[in-house]
Amino acid sequence: MFERDLLKGKVALITGGGTGIGFNIGKRYGELGASIAICGRRENVLAEAVSRFSEAGITADYHRCDVRDPAQVSETIDHFLDKFGGIDILVNNAAGNFVSPTERLSPHAFDAVLGIVLHGTIYMTLDLGKKWIKTGRHGVVLDIVTTYAWTGSGYVVPSAAAKAGVLALVRSLAVEWAKYGIRHVAIAPGPFPTEATRKNLFPIPQIEERIVQRVPLKRPGRMDEIADLAAYLVSDQAEYMNGSVVTIDGGEWLKGAGQFNHLEDLTEEQWKIIYETSRKKD
Ligand code: HXC
Ligand code: NAP
């Protein structure tokens, strides 16, 4: 889909890049010529990911980091700046999430998710942003949100509140930091099943089946689809994309929004009755 050297010479730091969507974005960026820096909490997961990148001929490095700790965030960024001589792309992808009735959650459960998603994104963006501004280097920040960042959603309330905050950050800094040559963009994915979603969000298969049934295209997203979008958005060819959130969900959230969309469940017989009734002269 792209020129092979679309991201040649770029360095991309991807939080939570050892697994799932973050790993697949890293792989695509690497195939397009970027060097990949990943961080997360589990060293074994990160080391395994880096060896998979290396096998694919991609230059990559990892550093352990809990994004909830600003000191670790700053130290991680300095580690990669030293290693690669600069960072051009930041992908705030790390997240924590689980389904639960909200009244069963403790303050600590809220803190855990908000800490990773909202504070982690802020700490990364703030530390790297300051370093970019100080050195006059341009950069692009891509934040992975969700469609319920703007619709809200029951049963994932800490995540919904945190992702809404991240979206506000994207739209605010897109304006404020444009003067420094720093762009902000976001992707809102629909269902892209990963090990983590199966463990924390779809622990009973019925949840995943119902979510996929809600998608007008009747299938989950594929990793290559989100990775290609992520590559376009951070490339120099997308230089005029700033403050945008791009939805990639097969039409899922719009289906929930349109008042009559549930008519898709009507039978031919029911449509026949509707046709005849609505044309009847009084
Ligand atoms: C209720 C829970 C819980 C659960 C943890 N807690 N899991 N409460 N239901 N399933 C509570 C704990 O009881 C504790 O509160 C508090 O949360 C912190 O838990 P810890 O295990 O100590 O926290 P920590 O080790 O920091 O783990 C963070 C985590 C975990 C979020 C809880 O799940 C995690 O690290 N996840 C990372 C991977 C992940 O979630 N990926 C999903 C991204 S997918 P108390 O009060 O008991 O101390 C995504 C997609 C959205 O976002 C859209 C899908 C279609
Ligand atoms: P995932 O595999 O669990 O990815 C999350 C990553 O974040 C993991 O590698 C995890 O590694 C890391 N992480 C978690 N807590 C961290 C912390 N405190 N510090 C540093 N790293 C941390 O989940 P995914 O499904 O690929 O999701 C990736 C992104 O897409 C998330 O932002 C998610 O909200 C978003 N999203 C996903 C879907 C979907 O259907 N998959 C839909 C909408 C949005 P460690 O545990 O080792 O730290």
Side-chain angles (χ1 to χ4, degrees), residues 9-27:
K10 306 271 188 199
V11 177
L13 167 52
I14 305 171
T15 67
T19 62
I21 290 175
F23 175 81
N24 281 282
I25 290 176
K27 187 154 175 290

Side-chain angles (χ1 to χ4, degrees), residues 41 66 68 95-100 104-110 112-113 116 146 148 159 163 189-192 194 196-197 199-202 211 252:
R41 292 166 301 176
D66 187 328
R68 291 174 286 193
N97 198 2
F98 42 73
V99 285
S100 172
R104 291 187 198 162
L105 296 177
S106 66
H108 189 207
F110 264 89
V113 174
I116 303 168
T146 63
Y148 59 63
S159 173
K163 295 286 191 184
F192 283 77
T194 59
T197 57
K199 177 167 172 279
N200 288 10
L201 297 162
F202 319 139
I211 285 182
E252 185 201 13

